[in-house]
Amino acid sequence: QLVLERLASAAQPCPLPPGVDVVVEGAPAHAFYAVVDGRVVVHRKGRKVVHLGAGDSFGERGLLDSAPRNATVTTETDATVLRIEGEALLEALQGAPTLRPALDMSSTAPGLQLGDEGRPLVDDKDRVGA
């Protein structure tokens, strides 16, 4: 229960318009995301893989495997995602290892869009507290 409370307090709501890449294929992984409302689409190698909506999550694979993002996730509609810093998620998993299988089973795909300066708009390690 304590671990879940810590994760909830670390979650940052990110309201986003349609067309925003939350994560980008090949980019470093910085955070985990849960869709609160709206819809996002997952692309791998330019092909649509799946649509995600409220209650779905993405972004765990890159964090768990210390690997680049394996897909791009783009908002299709106005959407709100909860963003949890990778460090907070990994600390929570150390404190409650039973959460890891649940994350492994929820895996779908991740991604991100770059801003004008070539930096991520949402999945940016410098976004903390933004």
Side-chain angles (χ1 to χ4, degrees), residues 4-78:
L4 292 175
E5 288 174 11
R6 273 194 231 145
L7 282 175
S9 68
Q12 301 171 326
C14 299
L16 303 168
V20 172
D21 291 331
V22 181
V23 295
V24 171
E25 188 170 3
H30 300 293
F32 169 75
Y33 300 89
V35 181
V36 176
D37 60 46
R39 267 178 36 147
V40 299
V41 62
V42 178
H43 295 87
R44 251 192 215 122
K45 297 181 181 167
R47 293 187 54 219
K48 288 183 183 179
V49 177
V50 68
H51 299 273
L52 303 176
D56 292 324
S57 59
F58 59 94
E60 73 288 340
R61 268 299 33 106
L63 296 170
L64 295 175
D65 298 340
S66 298
R69 296 297 189 184
N70 66 10
T72 296
V73 179
T74 306
T75 55
E76 286 188 296
T77 64
D78 286 328

Side-chain angles (χ1 to χ4, degrees), residues 17-18 23 29 36 39 54 57 65 82-83 98 104 108 126:
V23 295
V36 176
R39 267 178 36 147
S57 59
D65 298 340
L82 288 180
R83 181 180 193 278
T98 56
D104 285 337
T108 308
D126 297 325

